[in-house]
Amino acid sequence: MSTKNAVATMKNATPSERFTQAVIKEFPTGLNSEAVELTSFQRKLIQNYFIKVDSVLGEAETKRLAKTEQYRDALPLTWANVNMHKLALDVVAYSSIGLDPMQKNHISPIPYKNNKTDKYDINLMEGFNGLELKARKYGFDVPDQVIFELKYSTDHFKSLKKNSERKVEGYEFDIINDFDRGELEGGFYYQMYSDNPEKNKLVVMTRGQIEKRKPKYASPEFWGGEKDKWVNGKKSGKETIEGWEEEMFMKTLKRHCWDKVNIDSNKIDDFLSRTLENEAQANDREIQELIQTQANGQEITIDADGVIQEDETKSLTESKDKEFEALHNEAIEAEKETTKASSPGF
Amino acid sequence: MKLKIVNSGSKGNAYILQSQDEALLIECGVRFSDIKNAFNFDFSKLVGAIVTHEHLDHAKSVKDVMNYGIDVHATRGTHAALQTSSNHRAKSFEYHKMFQLGKFKIMAFDVLHDAVEPCGFHIYHPECGNVLFITDLIFCKYTFPNLHNIIIEANYDEAIAKRKLNDMEFLRNRIIKNHMSIDTCESTLLANDLSKVNNIVLIHLSDSNSDALAFKDRITKATQKTVTIADAGVTIEFNVHPF
């Protein structure tokens, strides 16, 4: 495709296509900088990132416009104001490990204004499902099963730590009263290794430890607590929100568990750093055809004096290749002539 | 003649053909300190280094080797990709043209790999006879009669790669488009006249998509020859005659 055509095509491209192109540009290439071909799965994933970020920007812009001018940020949340380079790099990294923003709690885009660049950085925050997926796919020494539980004041819990007599770490846990479990005190998770139970591990987190992990600007709608009350566009005191503390505690436990799994970068490295080609089936056929038609077809003899003799009998494929090459060259020459004739002469 | 494996695989490749009087370094894809150790810091017998292509696992130490006063022979394209063309120790060769380093007579030939101008080598020396060295390629276009020793890539097993890289499609595709499978390795060997071959050395096995023991077993059964897996530190007798 000529440069002119390429520019015209990009102008007509949808924002989704432009986004995909921007991301492809950031994909690592081989030393010879050959163009990257994405699999249909990767393309779909990148488009999902576009769709999600687009909707997040739309929602955030609506919220921005809903504020009175006094409290509103002057910079609109539009694609033009997004730091595309950073976003493309992040999409490359996260899509390569299979995190899909359209799946629940895989990964969520959150726009933050970067005052230095006067652009919005889109932070991609891994959700607990995303962390689990990453840990299971690329983790080193991943537990086979994990039990997560919340502990209320009436529940019976006792940890059974490993010692000289107890080879496997464990715990006692009973819910005494299902319908009135009392105050939420914290939670725990138990990582189990089927083949090697001696590696089983219990992690207990108290309320204090979980609250330490609460985000600085955590929304009271989720975590509970107080928030400003607005009446007719003006602040009028505070209101208490109950929130979803149990869910938040459980999410924190899960994040803590999966985030702690060491990632074996070797497993990701090749995946990330090299790039990538067609659908597997087409590739296999192409390679098999190449091998069948070209492998071991020509003999080279080198005698004791170092004289090289190459087998003169060229294979059918080779002569066909030559024919194609000649036709190809003819076509290029013809195109050059046409271009010369139609070009404005500069 | 001895073949010394400094290292083999995607983390780095370097091999030394060493006789009483002279030595040839094939590939510089490991730390230079590892090369120095392999030579016991004595490069007096080294007649030069030959490099198949510019990827770091084959050419990481090229500049250090040159700075040490050793000529590095590669195709023009490889030197250009490595940005070493202007170094006076950078020597270029052409495909299918013989050149000589000491008593080593070397001829490079074209292979298919995602590098600028990659090659394989046919190396002749009176002590080790005709040696075929091929790595980082899907298949070899050529066959060679009268081979005495063969150093050949056996990178992956299709079934293992399919199983392990099921969800990493593009990595799998990259491997099959650039490296030799054990199936192709076997058919390549059988397409050549193996009657005089003493050693077959399997190199550049993938860390995760190969099975060294099974590969060795398979190639031994198919060829009835002595097959060695190129593990770092291994030294093999590499002669024209088996005894």
Side-chain angles (χ1 to χ4, degrees), chain A residues 31, chain B residues 13 27-29 50-60 62 72-75 77-79 81-82 93 95 111 113-121 133-137 153 174 178-179 204:
Chain A
L31 275 175
Chain B
N13 293 275
E27 311 284 39
C28 307
I50 54 175
V51 172
T52 55
H53 65 288
E54 69 274 16
H55 289 168
L56 289 183
D57 57 332
H58 296 260
K60 188 191 283 176
V62 158
V72 175
H73 301 255
T75 56
T78 299
H79 275 307
L82 287 166
F93 52 72
Y95 291 145
V111 298
H113 188 57
D114 65 342
V116 176
E117 205 179 349
C119 65
F121 293 116
F133 180 91
I134 44 175
T135 185
D136 290 53
L137 73 174
E153 173 177 37
R174 186 182 179 273
N178 288 291
H179 289 280
H204 213 306

Side-chain angles (χ1 to χ4, degrees), chain B residues 114-135:
Chain B
D114 65 342
V116 176
E117 205 179 349
C119 65
F121 293 116
H122 180 284
I123 303 164
Y124 171 80
H125 188 278
E127 284 187 33
C128 59
N130 293 311
V131 178
L132 177 65
F133 180 91
I134 44 175
T135 185

Side-chain angles (χ1 to χ4, degrees), chain A residues 42 271 276 278 283 296 310, chain B residues 96 140 170 172-173 177:
Chain A
Q42 285 172 296
F271 191 81
L276 339 195
N278 282 325
N283 258 312
N296 314 313
E310 292 185 35
Chain B
H96 301 238
C140 185
F170 58 57
R172 181 180 164 274
N173 288 342
K177 277 188 151 184

Side-chain angles (χ1 to χ4, degrees), chain A residues 264-276:
Chain A
D264 184 349
S265 55
N266 259 346
K267 290 186 189 170
I268 303 180
D269 187 39
D270 288 332
F271 191 81
L272 279 179
S273 57
R274 306 309 119 179
T275 15
L276 339 195

Side-chain angles (χ1 to χ4, degrees), chain A residues 143-211:
Chain A
D144 299 307
Q145 202 187 329
V146 185
I147 295 172
F148 296 93
E149 291 286 358
L150 295 179
K151 158 79 173 75
Y152 292 80
S153 52
T154 64
D155 296 338
H156 166 71
F157 177 82
K158 186 174 170 14
S159 58
L160 304 169
K161 300 303 280 184
K162 223 175 183 178
N163 58 31
S164 56
E165 302 201 343
R166 190 183 296 119
K167 301 290 178 209
V168 177
E169 195 165 295
Y171 61 93
E172 288 171 7
F173 179 64
D174 281 311
I175 298 172
I176 309 298
N177 183 351
D178 278 292
F179 301 100
D180 185 12
R181 291 176 67 182
E183 293 293 313
L184 181 57
E185 293 180 328
F188 65 91
Y189 60 88
Y190 185 57
Q191 298 176 320
M192 295 194 286
Y193 297 84
S194 320
D195 295 338
N196 191 0
E198 291 188 1
K199 275 165 56 180
N200 289 4
K201 197 178 169 197
L202 174 72
V203 176
V204 177
M205 295 179 83
T206 62
R207 169 177 275 277
Q209 285 169 319
I210 291 176
E211 283 184 339

